[in-house]
Amino acid sequence: MVRQKWAQALLCVFISILGLGINGGPVFAQTEEVNHGLIEAHSMSISADAAILMDATNGETLYNKNAHKQRPPASTTKILTAILGLELGRPDELVVVSEKAAAVGESTIHLDPGEKILLYELITGAMVKSGNDACVAIGEQIAGTEKDFVRLMNQKAFLIGAKNTHFVNTNGLPNKNHYSTAYDLALMARYGLQIPAFTSITRLKETEIHFIEPDFFMNLRNTNKLLWNYPYTDGVKTGTTTAAGKCLVAAATKDGRQLIAVVLNAPNRFGDAQKLLEWGFSNTETITIAQAGDVVDVSREGSEPLMAFVQQPLQVSVLKKDEEKLEKKIQWTRDSHLPIDGGEEIGVYEVWLNEKKLGSTPLYAECRAEIFDGWDLKGRLTNLIEGK
């Protein structure tokens, strides 16, 4: 039974490569980091050794201070443990606590061997109360052993785009080979926040979990003080060890826009995170250049119509003062010979700021085109976007 469950879990992780999703979980294109932040790191007073502010919509970096520096992540590790627990398990799975899980120390929910509890309650205990023992129990339930579950965690992290991360346990207890970065943790949070159950848990200030056997309830209080002090907060997770210092992965939504702040080794972690989030909401914005399915008319009077469509949305994050400076361009990437088949990639829609490309998305011919009377297709596309 354990071997079968392990095989199913491994398959589910790799399915995400194909963009098929897992148990209704999110699938979105990963955005490469296209900037090092919109302002210089030293222009904002942040106590953290490493920090990042990310736009949750498109994954772009708004602020960067040593965001790719590998550091101990402490209990922010549990973000990925919770993601896999929700994706690979059933909320109503009954978990029998093992002696190994019950023996885990430091921050715990005081599990005892043989206790029975639902998987969803364990995930809640891991994220709200930061239960190290709950994380081990989750891993054993999903993959049979914590070691095998950690293999899944590392595979999942890589698929999400967290390529400077390596975990050796489920909870973030200190180990020299257990590390991540502010950028990678922001990617994990961004992924998790697309899972409704994940967001529901991370927003909890206080809650209780129910043990099936013996039958009792345990009250939990979230360690994330931003939930009380900052009204836009969506969670996500605190973390503290001597090696890692005080850490926080925080998300907030204001006026329909969600931002993610990560601060590692931050003496003033809650103040740092709130400062980053407020700066982002006040000084930056997400601009939608094109929506998926938008159509560009590149036809010419007297010739066969040629329409190009955008397959993926193009969104960029900029300082509000720079919005009017954005330039939109279309670059022809196909030879100009005819015919052009429907669905064929013909060009790239780009957005630029101060001679720097911020992002792009491919353009595809909407239908087959045969005759253009010697028309210079490349020139026509360029002129179109410039309004000529």
Side-chain angles (χ1 to χ4, degrees):
M1 180 64 181
V2 170
R3 182 179 298 174
Q4 181 182 12
K5 192 174 185 68
W6 162 253
Q8 290 173 342
L10 188 61
L11 176 62
C12 284
V13 170
F14 280 104
I15 281 176
S16 63
I17 300 178
L18 306 176
L20 301 179
I22 302 174
N23 291 350
V27 175
F28 45 78
Q30 293 302 322
T31 303
E32 292 185 5
E33 188 182 19
V34 296
N35 60 61
H36 298 287
L38 303 182
I39 59 171
E40 296 293 331
H42 61 74
S43 65
M44 192 181 304
S45 177
I46 298 295
S47 72
D49 177 65
I52 192 170
L53 181 66
M54 179 179 286
D55 191 322
T57 301
N58 52 26
E60 289 192 9
T61 300
L62 308 180
Y63 174 88
N64 178 340
K65 179 183 179 183
N66 301 322
H68 296 278
K69 180 180 179 180
Q70 292 176 341
R71 290 199 48 81
S75 287
T76 60
T77 300
K78 293 164 185 169
I79 292 171
L80 194 54
T81 301
I83 287 171
L84 285 180
L86 292 168
E87 287 191 332
L88 303 181
R90 299 189 317 274
D92 60 351
E93 282 188 49
L94 186 64
V95 180
V96 180
V97 178
S98 71
E99 290 188 6
K100 179 182 177 182
V104 177
E106 304 292 339
S107 177
T108 72
I109 58 171
H110 308 294
L111 294 177
D112 289 324
E115 287 182 327
K116 296 179 181 180
I117 185 173
L118 298 183
L119 179 62
Y120 189 84
E121 305 288 76
L122 282 175
I123 296 170
T124 302
M127 291 298 288
V128 176
K129 184 64 174 176
S130 203
N132 294 330
D133 48 358
C135 292
V136 174
I138 292 165
E140 291 177 338
Q141 178 67 16
I142 297 297
T145 67
E146 183 184 20
K147 181 179 179 180
D148 284 339
F149 186 81
V150 170
R151 285 174 56 193
L152 292 175
M153 290 175 67
N154 287 320
Q155 290 161 358
K156 186 69 174 184
F158 185 83
L159 295 177
I160 290 174
K163 298 179 181 179
N164 287 306
T165 291
H166 183 260
F167 293 145
V168 298
N169 59 53
T170 56
N171 42 42
L173 286 171
N175 186 296
K176 65 179 181 179
N177 294 317
H178 190 99
Y179 53 82
S180 189
T181 69
Y183 178 75
D184 284 3
L185 289 166
L187 288 181
M188 295 178 212
R190 180 182 177 227
Y191 185 95
L193 289 164
Q194 306 305 310
I195 304 173
F198 179 92
T199 304
S200 295
I201 292 172
T202 65
R203 286 175 174 165
L204 292 171
K205 292 181 180 179
E206 295 178 287
T207 190
E208 62 180 15
I209 56 176
H210 179 215
F211 286 76
I212 304 298
E213 188 177 315
D215 184 8
F216 73 97
F217 290 86
M218 176 182 290
N219 294 320
L220 306 179
R221 182 178 175 87
N222 205 309
T223 55
N224 185 356
K225 293 181 180 179
L226 280 188
L227 288 165
W228 283 267
N229 302 333
Y230 189 55
Y232 309 107
T233 303
D234 298 320
V236 176
K237 189 71 191 77
T238 57
T240 308
T241 63
T242 301
K246 295 180 179 180
C247 304
L248 176 64
V249 178
T253 301
K254 187 175 184 180
D255 298 328
R257 184 181 183 215
Q258 188 174 57
L259 302 179
I260 299 166
V262 180
V263 291
L264 303 180
N265 192 19
N268 185 22
R269 59 180 167 183
F270 298 114
D272 283 354
Q274 184 170 336
K275 180 183 290 187
L276 286 171
L277 291 164
E278 270 301 290
W279 174 83
F281 287 130
S282 299
N283 296 280
T284 73
E285 59 185 328
T286 307
I287 306 296
T288 299
I289 305 300
Q291 297 278 15
D294 281 357
V295 176
V296 178
D297 182 357
V298 294
S299 60
R300 179 184 181 187
E301 185 177 354
S303 67
E304 185 172 322
L306 177 60
M307 311 292 285
F309 68 89
V310 177
Q311 188 178 55
Q312 297 178 343
L314 176 57
Q315 297 171 315
V316 295
S317 302
V318 296
L319 293 171
K320 290 181 177 180
K321 65 183 182 65
D322 288 335
E323 179 182 359
E324 298 301 320
K325 301 176 185 177
L326 293 177
E327 297 180 77
K328 305 169 189 177
K329 301 179 182 179
I330 291 181
Q331 299 294 337
W332 185 258
T333 57
R334 181 196 185 279
D335 292 339
S336 57
H337 67 274
L338 298 175
I340 297 173
D341 292 323
E344 184 177 348
E345 183 175 339
I346 60 174
V348 181
Y349 199 170
E350 300 176 342
V351 58
W352 291 69
L353 175 65
N354 299 329
E355 299 184 352
K356 178 182 179 181
K357 185 170 71 173
L358 301 184
S360 63
T361 189
L363 283 171
Y364 300 87
E366 189 177 41
C367 57
R368 184 177 174 85
E370 297 281 359
I371 303 172
F372 279 87
D373 301 326
W375 181 31
D376 179 0
L377 297 175
K378 183 174 181 180
R380 173 58 178 150
L381 277 171
T382 303
N383 290 342
L384 172 80
I385 199 64
E386 294 175 352
K388 297 180 181 178

